[in-house]
Amino acid sequence: MSDSRVPRKRRFLVCEPRHFAVQYAINPWMRPDVTVDVELAQEQWRELLRAYRVHGHTVETVEPVPGLPDMVFAANSAVVVGGRVFGSLFHAPERRPESLHYDTWFKAAGFDVRRPESVCEGEGDLVFTGRYVLAGSGFRTTRAAHHEVQEFFGVPVIGLTLVDPYFYHLDTALFVLDDGTHSREENIAYYPDAFSPGSREVLARLYPDAVVATREDAMAFGLNSVSDGLHVFVAPGATALADQLDRRGYVPVPVDLSEFQKAGGGIKCCTQEIR
Ligand code: ARG
């Protein structure tokens, strides 16, 4: 199996955690009384960049803005497919100004940006699988935004309902292992109990061969991973998940972003993919 797995080079956009902090609480992980070690966060974040680059991926950066402590979570800023950028409109007023800074970056990089009309938190809730956009709702991104996304990309959008506040964004409960570029079948890994019963059935129907993760894996941010089709950049605490990936012929690359978990974020949250 492992011989058949082929990595695809990715283009990532990230934002340095220079102004990262937990100053408000908009998900159950965030406790404003807990202090963040910004230096450790910077070191962990640089390790993530090193891991991406060592494995052949391109990493670009957007300048962080003082007063926007969650701007480091680049995934939430947009979804980009085929060079088309669908921007963000945050649920929390504290995060709303981030969108403008990301839009400015995209425009300077030569992209047009479509502004959403309804609350939409980018790749946090909109996961492009290769064939579909899996779209979360329940806590942040709205169903109305799912419709906008389908019209904009012309890609089938599959709506999924999130039910556990610890997994408030789709990308905390599910990630794409293989987008089908080099294999016959796209595939995902996910934590079923984060979803409503109907959404669980949809996922089982679409991905009968998915990697199904435990609550421990999910609580360790194991589902907030980035896969290039062979290497899976994954939180080191998700040990059962890493074993499963290994058995399936993937190569887990552990990257510890423990400081970011204090804000409810992990590897994928810090990573926007430009397709
Ligand atoms: N504190 C941020 C929030 O609650 C964390 C965002 C994490 N990003 C993600 N893609 N899940 O909005």
Side-chain angles (χ1 to χ4, degrees), residues 26-27 30 70 73 76 95 124 140 168-169 171-172 263-264 269:
I26 55 172
N27 68 56
M30 299 179 89
D70 275 333
F73 299 117
N76 307 155
R95 296 198 66 184
R140 305 285 182 92
Y168 57 92
H169 268 152
D171 75 355
T172 62
C269 299

Side-chain angles (χ1 to χ4, degrees), residues 123-231:
E123 287 194 304
D125 278 320
L126 300 163
V127 175
F128 180 67
T129 64
R131 193 181 288 176
Y132 311 114
V133 174
L134 301 180
S137 67
F139 298 98
R140 305 285 182 92
T141 299
T142 57
R143 287 280 181 175
H146 296 181
H147 294 298
E148 288 183 57
V149 167
Q150 177 161 292
E151 282 304 313
F152 182 66
F153 290 116
V155 172
V157 169
I158 313 280
L160 300 168
T161 303
L162 296 162
V163 295
D164 181 333
Y166 279 95
F167 309 108
Y168 57 92
H169 268 152
L170 181 59
D171 75 355
T172 62
L174 178 151
F175 71 97
V176 178
L177 270 172
D178 190 326
D179 63 9
T181 307
H182 294 292
S183 61
R184 269 184 313 123
E185 287 287 329
E186 61 178 47
N187 204 7
I188 61 167
Y190 70 106
Y191 168 54
D193 286 351
F195 297 91
S196 68
S199 299
R200 285 205 287 274
E201 268 186 64
V202 168
L203 288 170
R205 196 182 285 268
L206 288 177
Y207 301 102
D209 196 33
V211 170
V212 174
T214 63
R215 184 165 189 89
E216 289 68 40
D217 289 327
M219 290 300 281
F221 279 84
L223 282 318
N224 196 245
S225 295
V226 170
S227 168
D228 66 17
L230 171 63
H231 312 101

Side-chain angles (χ1 to χ4, degrees), residues 54 58 86 124 138-139 154 179 193 217 230 233 239 246-248 274:
V54 161
T58 304
F86 192 83
F139 298 98
D179 63 9
D193 286 351
D217 289 327
L230 171 63
F233 304 90
T239 51
D246 184 62
R247 282 198 298 277
R248 301 260 197 139
I274 301 177

Side-chain angles (χ1 to χ4, degrees), residues 73-79 86-88 90 102-103 106 121-123 272:
F73 299 117
N76 307 155
S77 66
V79 188
F86 192 83
S88 57
F90 284 90
Y102 278 96
D103 289 1
F106 279 113
E121 300 202 353
E123 287 194 304
Q272 169 70 48

